[in-house]
Amino acid sequence: MACTSANVVKCHCQKKWSSVTMPAMAKIQFCFTFILFIAINCASVNVDNISSDVKFKNVDRTIDLSSQLVKISQKITLENSGKSPVKSFLVAVEASSKNNLAYIGAKDSSGKDLRVSETTVKGHDSAKFWRVDLKDALNAGSTVVVTSETVFTKALQPYPTAITQQEDQLVKYTGNLYVYSPYQVTSQKTNVVVVTKGIESFSKVKPFSQQDGAIQYGPYPNVAPFTEKELSVHYKNNSPFLTVTRIERLIEVSHWGNIAIEELIEVEHTGAKLKGPFSRYDYQQDLHSGPASVRSYKTLLPASASDVYYRDTNGNISTSNMKVKKDSVELDLRPRYPLFGGWKTHYTLGYNVPSYEYLYHSGNEYLLKMRVIDHIFDDMQVDELTTKIILPEGSVGIKLNVPYPVTRLADSLHYTYLDTKGRPVITFKKSNVVENHIQDFQLRYTFPRLLMFQEPLLVVGFLYALFLLVIIYVRLDFSIHKAEHQHKD
């Protein structure tokens, strides 16, 4: 068995079973509860071994450094050199990069997603591993092509760390020249894309070639598992280095046909800091002034979004444009001032969408299916995302299903007008979020449909009681003495 500690407890419980009396039932219950706890924890930890039958026959790797994110795509030709079928293989990320990893995924040759689950390998505690399950088992002597994708945040460092208003931004990337693989790699190539001719310096490991904003390395034959060699590129990168340091996304569900969404967003320019004074006159007169600054950016909302508002602490921001497209609503957001390195801003963005597009029901059972986060700007990186979902009062049996691991916070209550018990609030957090995390969550709950009439009945009852009090007040006579009647002579 896998869990030795659980077996010890189980044996101990079995030895004591013959002498059990009724007062000892609590101890028995504790034993089995502890066994269940150990079993669940052991099952949740994946442990894999590195198969000697698996080899990477060929790897074509592309490192995209054109934005503030580092996107690495690997086209892997997987070979089974053993005698038995292979159902999965491992991909790894070196210790120097694992803290910057935001997303990892894999697809087969037809472009369909493959299941990727985090795992561990004994003897390699410093690195991170993921197991990729193949759609079909790979027979002995056969090959299959799989593409893996990884996205890293804050892997580009401004160098120098401070620049003047007129200077270009230079950044430095440090990574691994070879594919960090747990298997032998027969042949591999690496293509580094920077989309600029302003390359200051780069690692020169033969064979290599440089051509119009790209550097090609390899092919390198017979690379041993877990081989590392520093790859460094120092180049010009004036793309927006915007980081959403914190976003709180509030989704309020109504069964009367509307879902209100409001986002509180804090943004910081995390590129090279501004050195020296800022000249508003030069910035407005010269379009090439502040090449690394951010004047505006585009946010995409659902196509059915309406009643859009965009404001900061000073009020509504009028310097924004909205364009309605077939599949989205495009907002060109322009902060009150341009963002240079180290500068921050925060604002509130809200809109409404019809509930019939996201809320489904069968009887008293409801299913809410919405995005965890929307597109804020191109190549976005979010340090911390908090999503809150406010359900109608009386919702019970709440079950949340998220497409990737999140931190579920304690449920709470939200009170608005005409609420008696409060509306359930489901909250979860996710850190290090990128565009690949724009996926749907599913929230199931039960809501008795008769409760929809609770608020209208409360309003009717209140008005009825008010009118009844008015009628009673008008008809009652609160005078102490009766009015004297005058008699005519």
Side-chain angles (χ1 to χ4, degrees):
M1 294 184 183
C3 301
T4 307
S5 57
N7 299 334
V8 172
V9 175
K10 183 177 180 181
C11 294
H12 177 74
C13 292
Q14 288 176 343
K15 289 179 182 178
K16 294 293 184 180
W17 181 261
S18 57
S19 60
V20 168
T21 58
M22 289 305 295
M25 289 302 295
K27 295 181 179 180
I28 297 298
Q29 185 177 4
F30 170 78
C31 288
F32 283 102
T33 303
F34 185 71
I35 293 171
L36 181 61
F37 173 79
I38 295 295
I40 291 175
N41 280 283
C42 292
S44 63
V45 178
N46 295 324
V47 179
D48 281 271
N49 296 318
I50 301 174
S51 174
S52 59
D53 296 337
V54 177
K55 291 183 180 180
F56 286 175
K57 186 176 182 180
N58 184 63
V59 178
D60 286 336
R61 183 173 61 153
T62 300
I63 304 177
D64 187 353
L65 306 178
S66 58
S67 66
Q68 67 170 338
L69 302 176
V70 175
K71 304 174 184 177
I72 301 179
S73 176
Q74 299 181 150
K75 186 178 180 181
I76 303 170
T77 302
L78 191 69
E79 181 183 15
N80 182 4
S81 59
K83 297 181 179 180
S84 57
V86 172
K87 297 181 180 179
S88 63
F89 68 98
L90 300 177
V91 292
V93 174
E94 52 268 54
S96 59
S97 302
K98 65 181 182 180
N99 293 331
N100 301 108
L101 180 67
Y103 172 81
I104 185 169
K107 295 182 179 182
D108 60 14
S109 56
S110 61
K112 294 183 179 179
D113 291 331
L114 299 177
R115 182 184 177 186
V116 179
S117 53
E118 189 171 352
T119 185
T120 57
V121 175
K122 290 183 179 180
H124 299 277
D125 298 334
S126 60
K128 268 194 171 184
F129 293 87
W130 284 263
R131 182 177 64 246
V132 180
D133 297 325
L134 300 173
K135 291 287 185 182
D136 301 309
L138 182 62
N139 295 324
S142 300
T143 60
V144 67
V145 177
V146 176
T147 302
S148 69
E149 180 185 6
T150 50
V151 180
F152 298 88
T153 59
K154 300 181 180 180
L156 300 178
Q157 301 301 321
Y159 191 78
T161 58
I163 57 176
T164 63
Q165 182 175 332
Q166 304 297 332
E167 288 182 307
D168 290 314
Q169 178 175 258
L170 299 177
V171 299
K172 188 175 183 180
Y173 169 73
T174 302
N176 189 3
L177 178 66
Y178 301 114
V179 176
Y180 191 76
S181 166
Y183 310 108
Q184 178 83 13
V185 181
T186 306
S187 177
Q188 65 173 281
K189 298 178 183 177
T190 298
N191 183 34
V192 181
V193 180
V194 294
V195 196
T196 178
K197 294 182 180 180
I199 300 177
E200 299 292 318
S201 63
F202 63 93
S203 299
K204 298 179 180 180
V205 181
K206 296 181 179 181
F208 72 91
S209 62
Q210 180 186 2
Q211 191 176 50
D212 294 334
I215 308 170
Q216 292 82 29
Y217 290 96
Y220 298 115
N222 300 322
V223 180
F226 302 111
T227 302
E228 292 188 70
K229 186 176 182 63
E230 183 178 289
L231 168 64
S232 176
V233 184
H234 186 208
Y235 65 103
K236 181 176 72 174
N237 189 343
N238 284 327
S239 61
F241 270 58
L242 286 182
T243 299
V244 178
T245 55
R246 182 177 177 272
I247 174 173
E248 184 174 307
R249 180 172 166 87
L250 185 65
I251 303 173
E252 186 170 358
V253 180
S254 172
H255 287 176
W256 294 97
N258 184 70
I259 298 177
I261 301 172
E262 185 176 80
E263 297 176 340
L264 282 70
I265 304 175
E266 299 177 3
V267 180
E268 180 181 359
H269 192 304
T270 52
K273 297 184 181 300
L274 179 63
K275 180 173 64 177
F278 166 66
S279 173
R280 170 72 71 172
Y281 176 79
D282 293 341
Y283 191 81
Q284 292 179 341
Q285 294 297 320
D286 186 4
L287 294 178
H288 299 287
S289 178
S293 66
V294 178
R295 301 171 185 262
S296 64
Y297 52 87
K298 293 181 179 180
T299 292
L300 299 181
L301 304 180
S304 58
S306 60
D307 305 324
V308 181
Y309 57 91
Y310 168 49
R311 63 172 182 261
D312 59 10
T313 53
N314 294 332
N316 291 331
I317 303 176
S318 59
T319 53
S320 59
N321 297 316
M322 186 173 73
K323 185 185 298 182
V324 180
K325 296 185 175 181
K326 290 184 179 180
D327 57 348
S328 64
V329 173
E330 183 182 278
L331 288 180
D332 186 11
L333 302 183
R334 185 179 297 271
R336 292 185 183 273
Y337 48 86
L339 297 177
F340 285 85
W343 293 19
K344 303 178 182 180
T345 185
H346 63 277
Y347 61 91
T348 301
L349 178 65
Y351 57 94
N352 295 322
V353 292
S355 59
Y356 68 83
E357 292 190 359
Y358 305 95
L359 190 62
Y360 311 91
H361 75 92
S362 175
N364 293 334
E365 302 296 325
Y366 286 80
L367 170 63
L368 177 67
K369 187 177 180 181
M370 296 190 72
R371 288 179 174 178
V372 175
I373 188 174
D374 274 320
H375 178 279
I376 304 176
F377 47 79
D378 293 338
D379 298 313
M380 68 180 190
Q381 60 180 24
V382 180
D383 287 345
E384 181 181 308
L385 163 68
T386 302
T387 299
K388 295 183 178 181
I389 308 161
I390 303 177
L391 297 178
E393 186 179 28
S395 300
V396 294
I398 301 170
K399 297 180 181 179
L400 177 65
N401 183 20
V402 186
Y404 38 76
V406 299
T407 302
R408 177 80 180 267
L409 303 182
D411 295 346
S412 57
L413 295 175
H414 176 76
Y415 293 91
T416 58
Y417 54 88
L418 299 179
D419 287 341
T420 55
K421 298 180 180 179
R423 305 184 182 189
V425 181
I426 291 80
T427 307
F428 58 88
K429 298 178 68 174
K430 171 71 176 173
S431 59
N432 210 7
V433 177
V434 292
E435 285 188 77
N436 304 80
H437 293 117
I438 301 179
Q439 301 180 37
D440 291 338
F441 69 85
Q442 293 184 355
L443 185 65
R444 300 178 184 274
Y445 62 95
T446 301
F447 179 80
R449 303 190 69 181
L450 289 177
L451 289 179
M452 291 184 64
F453 300 100
Q454 175 178 320
E455 293 184 359
L457 289 176
L458 286 175
V459 174
V460 171
F462 173 77
L463 294 176
Y464 179 80
L466 179 63
F467 289 145
L468 183 63
L469 289 175
V470 171
I471 292 172
I472 294 174
Y473 178 79
V474 170
R475 290 186 174 274
L476 288 178
D477 185 5
F478 294 97
S479 60
I480 299 177
H481 301 285
K482 291 185 178 181
E484 297 181 357
H485 299 281
Q486 294 181 357
H487 298 282
K488 294 183 179 180
D489 294 338

